[in-house]
Amino acid sequence: MTSSSPLLLLSLILAWSAPAFLLARAGAGDQGLKHIHLYMHETFAGPNATAIVTVPSPLGANATFGVVGVLDDELRDGPDPKSSSLVGRYQGIFAGAGLVSPPGMQSAINFVFTAGEHSGSTLAMLGPVLSFTGGIERSVVGGTGAFRMARGYCVMMAAGNPTPDSIVYEVDLFVKMDYA
């Protein structure tokens, strides 16, 4: 190998990566982050439960590994369900996927907007739920309608005092549109 071979290799790598870098930079400032602030209302018990376990853990009643469940919660523009407007649904599946402590859950969630300025659009999120005591953060991996090609993140925090039967989460979405 000659002494110019490493220099030639470096030049080729830079030449191949430059177009992708310039293309990525060209779209970086086109759209800012869009912030959406909502409240998710979830009910665990009773005839109007919105989150249920559909497959119990094969390891026993107190185990979370292997649990599978579904949810269909309300998305509202405020924390009080009586005085806030329903803007959509928080629908998804979750599965107990952690054998070690904390026992993590994996989730695939869709925000389905049925009213308001985002009506007819959806946002898709994936991510773990490592704890229910702090913020739950998920990646926004796409969307439809006004959120086509969306990316970003979602942070959920308990709002107010949860009861054994229900909880309200304050939801902050930070979404960037990435049209090619």
Side-chain angles (χ1 to χ4, degrees):
M1 194 177 234
T2 66
S3 62
S4 64
S5 293
L7 186 56
L8 178 62
L9 182 60
L10 178 61
S11 298
L12 287 173
I13 290 171
L14 289 174
W16 285 330
S17 61
F21 173 77
L22 293 174
L23 187 60
R25 288 289 293 157
D30 293 348
Q31 297 283 334
L33 238 55
K34 181 174 185 66
H35 178 225
I36 302 169
H37 188 84
L38 299 168
Y39 294 84
M40 185 266 286
H41 296 257
E42 187 167 74
T43 305
F44 307 117
N48 297 321
T50 60
I52 61 170
V53 170
T54 56
V55 178
S57 173
L59 301 178
N62 293 328
T64 57
F65 184 72
V67 165
V68 177
V70 296
L71 45 93
D72 183 11
D73 300 325
E74 293 181 342
L75 280 176
R76 295 187 166 274
D77 63 3
D80 182 5
K82 292 179 177 51
S83 65
S84 61
S85 297
L86 183 67
V87 296
R89 307 300 295 183
Y90 179 94
Q91 299 172 330
I93 59 173
F94 58 89
L99 280 172
V100 296
S101 185
M105 299 288 247
Q106 292 296 317
S107 64
I109 304 295
N110 287 305
F111 281 36
V112 180
F113 293 96
T114 57
E117 73 174 289
H118 308 300
S119 182
S121 299
T122 67
L123 280 169
M125 286 158 287
L126 293 173
V129 179
L130 301 175
S131 170
F132 289 100
T133 58
I136 299 170
E137 187 169 334
R138 290 185 183 90
S139 300
V140 173
V141 295
T144 64
F147 299 113
R148 191 173 295 131
M149 302 294 289
R151 59 189 170 101
Y153 65 99
C154 170
V155 179
M156 292 176 35
M157 300 283 289
N161 296 320
T163 71
D165 294 337
S166 67
I167 189 168
V168 175
Y169 281 100
E170 190 167 357
V171 181
D172 283 299
L173 286 157
F174 299 90
V175 181
K176 180 172 174 56
M177 304 315 292
D178 191 20
Y179 295 108

